[in-house]
Amino acid sequence: MTPAHQLTLNLSGRLVSLEKPLVMGIVNVTPDSFFAGSRIDGAKALGERLNTLVREGAALADLGAYSSRPGAEEVSPEEERRRLRPALQILRDEYPDLPVSVDTFRSDVARMAVEEYGASMINDISGGGLDPAMYRTMAELQVPYILMHMKGDPKTMQQQASYSDVTLEVIDYFAQRVGQLLELGVHDIILDPGFGFSKTTAQNYELLAQLGSLVEAFTQPLLVGVSRKSMIYRPLGISPEEALNGTTFLHALALERGAKILRVHDVRPAVEAVQLYEELRPVLRSGEGLHYQHLRPL
């Protein structure tokens, strides 16, 4: 018998259902994110961004202070904390009902965010690979952990996009690390295949096409982050600012293949994609639909 998939997340003591996919809105307090429209400078801009997330229906905010774009420069732990603290304070004081995920690969930053500001989740692009204390810290903090696939670090990852079978290697990576986390007592684990991280455009699309294999292999929910990434704008010959339409198209494919969380720059289009997918899903589940062999040429 196939094990049942995880259908809830414990976010600061509140059980949140994953039966309907969730939208996570990106909040970057960085000066160098690859998408200029996501960079936030100052309390006023942050408040406007958070108001937009809430108004457009985001279930989560993902707060990051260290750009993970290819070739990104090093940010010290002190600077990362300095950038995060004012934003975490505003989120805690003014948006207490909006669960906050903190995008960091450092265990001490994760601890600060959870223990001092009540962050609900940690999003680790390195999957524990850049801080050996992260897994034990997550076991102590007992908040959901986003385990992402990446080889190397943001400065070196694009030189490590070598795979015999990218999907199988991502599955093997998750299998090893999920086992370690479960053994330590980390209960809520979300899997992120890491689109754009140590993968070529072709490998990104191969992995997207095979998302269903990841869903079948694990009981943990799947997060997909493709928003405005180079896998969209490079094949189309456009900029990240022009990549919303392509993003929404790939979100629809990811939902159809089993994604439970979409990490996005543009909340409303993603929420609408989820809503329309929910209209379609009962038909997909029942096996009903149009059978083309019944059509006759005019």
Side-chain angles (χ1 to χ4, degrees):
M1 175 184 268
T2 303
H5 282 82
Q6 179 179 338
L7 293 177
T8 60
L9 290 175
N10 186 340
L11 298 177
S12 301
R14 179 162 57 101
L15 282 182
V16 175
S17 174
L18 292 169
E19 183 63 34
K20 178 180 178 180
L22 306 179
V23 173
M24 169 188 280
I26 298 168
V27 182
N28 284 323
V29 286
T30 59
D32 56 347
S33 174
F34 80 92
F35 175 45
S38 73
R39 300 172 196 160
I40 295 170
D41 184 19
K44 182 179 178 182
L46 177 60
E48 291 172 354
R49 174 61 176 162
L50 294 174
N51 279 331
T52 299
L53 261 60
V54 172
R55 184 178 67 252
E56 295 188 353
L60 296 154
D62 190 47
L63 180 64
Y66 189 136
S67 175
S68 56
R69 64 179 174 81
E73 291 302 315
E74 175 78 10
V75 175
S76 70
E78 294 76 21
E79 176 63 13
E80 187 179 5
R81 285 193 290 267
R82 187 193 68 79
R83 294 176 181 179
L84 283 172
R85 285 184 184 278
L88 286 166
Q89 187 77 45
I90 290 172
L91 279 157
R92 185 182 68 180
D93 294 346
E94 300 183 23
Y95 301 88
D97 294 330
L98 180 63
V100 180
S101 165
V102 173
D103 185 350
T104 185
F105 56 79
R106 291 176 169 135
S107 60
D108 58 343
V109 175
R111 186 179 295 279
M112 177 272 292
V114 174
E115 292 185 345
E116 296 182 28
Y117 296 95
S120 299
M121 181 185 297
I122 297 300
N123 181 7
D124 180 2
I125 63 166
S126 79
L130 295 179
D131 186 341
M134 180 60 91
Y135 285 7
R136 291 197 177 277
T137 300
M138 293 308 305
E140 294 170 10
L141 295 175
Q142 284 299 310
V143 296
Y145 177 64
I146 300 173
L147 170 67
M148 199 191 83
H149 174 271
M150 177 178 71
K151 294 198 290 187
D153 58 42
K155 291 188 73 172
T156 65
M157 62 185 177
Q158 293 311 107
Q159 285 73 56
Q160 302 194 41
S162 176
Y163 305 89
S164 57
D165 184 315
V166 65
T167 304
L168 286 178
E169 290 193 36
V170 169
I171 288 174
D172 288 345
Y173 172 99
F174 283 147
Q176 178 185 358
R177 286 158 178 78
V178 166
Q180 293 172 359
L181 287 161
L182 291 175
E183 189 172 335
L184 287 169
V186 181
H187 302 297
D188 280 357
I189 305 166
I190 300 104
L191 307 181
D192 178 353
F195 290 101
F197 291 82
S198 58
K199 299 169 187 71
T200 65
T201 296
Q203 289 163 351
N204 284 321
Y205 279 100
E206 181 180 347
L207 192 55
L208 179 62
Q210 296 296 325
L211 273 185
S213 298
L214 275 71
V215 174
E216 292 175 4
F218 301 98
T219 61
Q220 289 76 23
L222 195 67
L223 178 149
V224 166
V226 294
S227 182
R228 295 183 181 266
K229 287 187 175 179
S230 63
M231 66 183 287
I232 299 167
Y233 64 78
R234 283 182 182 162
L236 297 175
I238 58 176
S239 68
E241 287 71 21
E242 299 170 294
L244 175 57
N245 187 55
T247 295
T248 303
F249 173 70
L250 295 192
H251 282 162
L253 295 182
L255 291 168
E256 189 271 334
R257 286 161 172 76
K260 287 298 184 181
I261 303 175
L262 300 178
R263 182 180 181 272
V264 308
H265 296 97
D266 310 277
V267 171
R268 182 176 176 180
V271 167
E272 290 177 351
V274 170
Q275 185 175 346
L276 294 179
Y277 169 70
E278 288 296 297
E279 295 291 329
L280 178 64
R281 190 159 63 133
V283 180
L284 295 174
R285 195 161 43 211
S286 69
E288 297 174 3
L290 186 63
H291 297 282
Y292 290 99
Q293 64 266 32
H294 295 161
L295 296 178
R296 296 180 181 177
L298 295 175

